[in-house]
Amino acid sequence: MPKSTVVTIQRHIVEQERHFPKATGDFTGLLWDLTIAAKTISREVNKAGLADILGLTGEQNVSGDEVKKLDAYANERICKAMDHGGHLCIMASEENEDVIPIPDEFPRGKYVLLFDPLDGSSNIDANVSVGTIFSIHKRKTTGKEGVHGFTLDPSIGEFLLSHENIKIPSKGKIYSINEGNANTWDEGTKKYIAYLKENDPATGRPFSLRYIGSLVADFHRNLLYGGIFLYPADYKDPKKPKAKLRLLYEAAPLAFVVEQAGGMASTGKERIMDIQATELHQKVPLIIGSKEDVLTYERFFIHE
Ligand code: FDP
């Protein structure tokens, strides 16, 4: 692609569709509906800091509409954008206890959409990056096509191709973990983090700590620069380790992305993408990022 060419997300999707001669346009339609939802959510999130000034706090906004928490708003936008297109047979969201059926009046399709409508939402008031994580499933998944980054250009309201064919560096210099939880980590994680802090320039140590506390933001930075994000299980009760992040709409979608970019995602013991979900809101430890760094972590963890 010549450097000067502007590639909107619509153009990119249509061009990708041409690689699949049997494509019906169904998947393309689904992605288009999702981009509309993403733009609407982006508009609302970007107004968040102005809430007090514009009188948008409280139960009602200036137009008398009910003001919703942004994660509930994002959830509703995605449901409404996706329920009628005829592409989906069911949805599930972090915000809903049960699966979300397609209303009877709308046609059903062959895809399943799983999403976390606004990950990192506890950071919104501090203007930290937040984002929607989603995955689309079909009974049989076929070809894989790499990772392409699009950035919303607010002046024209379009997502433009900004990062073509992203490859995560095979080894990073950054680690991202909530160190406040150090006392709850398993011994392997404790030793691994201590190892990263040792001074050994030959192996690129010490690493630098960068932890925003918003998975999408930490993941995005590490994807571009290389590094490792860790949310290990809490071992306060060693017989019942407790994970925090959700498999279906946090860990697995990002695991798919990182693998497509040449990285790895693991619980420490197994590949995230190999886990068969047994519950809708199942939680898993997530160690994700540059391949060599995740492999090193696994060696520490498995030696437990
Ligand atoms: P949040 O609760 O703000 O939605 O998935 C939840 C999440 O944020 C991730 O985005 C983030 O990486 C993690 O939790 C932060 O958790 P800690 O505050 O426990 O570090």
Side-chain angles (χ1 to χ4, degrees), residues 58 68 72 82 121 139 151 189 215 220 225 239 259 266 275 298 301-302:
K68 292 197 162 51
M82 304 309 298
S121 51
R139 247 165 276 131
T151 304
T189 301
L215 176 60
H220 181 249
Y225 300 164
K239 290 198 190 101
E259 287 190 3
S266 162
I275 303 174
E298 282 188 337
F301 188 78
I302 288 164

Side-chain angles (χ1 to χ4, degrees), residues 21-201:
K22 290 194 183 140
T24 59
D26 206 11
F27 189 67
T28 297
L30 194 169
L31 290 177
W32 282 12
D33 289 349
L34 260 178
T35 60
I36 304 289
K39 287 182 197 176
T40 319
I41 294 166
S42 166
R43 184 196 60 203
E44 229 35 47
V45 166
N46 282 310
K47 283 198 317 212
L50 295 171
D52 284 337
I53 298 166
L54 299 177
L56 296 176
T57 50
E59 287 304 300
Q60 294 200 327
N61 67 16
V62 279
S63 342
D65 301 326
E66 197 186 325
V67 176
K68 292 197 162 51
K69 281 182 67 192
L70 276 171
D71 36 15
Y73 173 83
N75 195 42
E76 193 183 299
R77 284 324 318 153
I78 296 177
C79 291
K80 291 223 166 104
M82 304 309 298
D83 66 1
H84 58 278
H87 311 298
L88 299 177
C89 51
I90 201 133
M91 296 182 263
S93 160
E94 189 191 1
E95 297 286 321
N96 297 63
E97 192 63 34
D98 289 319
V99 291
I100 307 163
I102 300 300
D104 286 340
E105 65 265 38
F106 299 131
R108 307 231 167 124
K110 55 179 180 277
Y111 293 104
V112 176
L113 178 70
L114 304 173
F115 58 96
D116 175 355
L118 210 54
D119 181 72
S121 51
S122 63
N123 293 296
I124 283 180
D125 287 345
N127 268 347
V128 166
S129 304
V130 292
T132 301
I133 306 177
F134 64 89
S135 62
I136 300 165
H137 302 254
K138 199 177 149 198
R139 247 165 276 131
K140 274 193 187 155
T141 312
T142 50
K144 300 182 171 185
E145 285 294 311
V147 177
H148 305 287
F150 290 81
T151 304
L152 181 61
D153 178 342
S155 63
I156 54 169
E158 276 295 351
F159 285 97
L160 303 181
L161 181 59
S162 50
H163 301 77
E164 196 176 10
N165 202 14
I166 299 172
K167 292 288 170 215
I168 185 169
S170 61
K171 188 168 171 9
K173 285 274 293 169
I174 292 173
Y175 74 105
S176 315
I177 190 167
N178 185 341
E179 291 249 15
N181 294 335
N183 282 336
T184 72
W185 298 339
D186 55 280
E187 287 309 308
T189 301
K190 285 181 186 163
K191 284 184 193 145
Y192 175 72
I193 297 298
Y195 164 85
L196 294 183
K197 295 176 186 174
E198 286 167 10
N199 189 29
D200 181 23

Side-chain angles (χ1 to χ4, degrees), residues 257-268:
V257 172
V258 87
E259 287 190 3
Q260 287 293 298
M264 262 184 87
S266 162
T267 62

Side-chain angles (χ1 to χ4, degrees), residues 210-266:
R210 296 283 184 274
Y211 189 69
I212 298 169
S214 173
L215 176 60
V216 286
D218 282 309
F219 175 76
H220 181 249
R221 182 204 51 240
N222 291 0
L223 183 68
L224 297 181
Y225 300 164
I228 183 165
F229 172 95
L230 310 97
Y231 214 112
D234 173 333
Y235 276 78
K236 251 185 260 124
D237 177 353
K239 290 198 190 101
K240 283 193 201 151
K242 268 204 223 151
K244 169 166 183 180
L245 300 180
R246 316 284 178 141
L247 173 64
L248 289 178
Y249 29 82
E250 292 179 319
L254 298 185
F256 182 75
V257 172
V258 87
E259 287 190 3
Q260 287 293 298
M264 262 184 87
S266 162

Side-chain angles (χ1 to χ4, degrees), residues 247-286:
L247 173 64
L248 289 178
Y249 29 82
E250 292 179 319
L254 298 185
F256 182 75
V257 172
V258 87
E259 287 190 3
Q260 287 293 298
M264 262 184 87
S266 162
T267 62
K269 275 195 252 188
E270 65 179 322
R271 181 176 169 247
I272 295 284
M273 294 296 284
D274 284 339
I275 303 174
Q276 292 287 330
T278 50
E279 288 168 44
L280 189 56
H281 299 292
Q282 190 168 334
K283 295 174 176 177
V284 288
L286 176 64

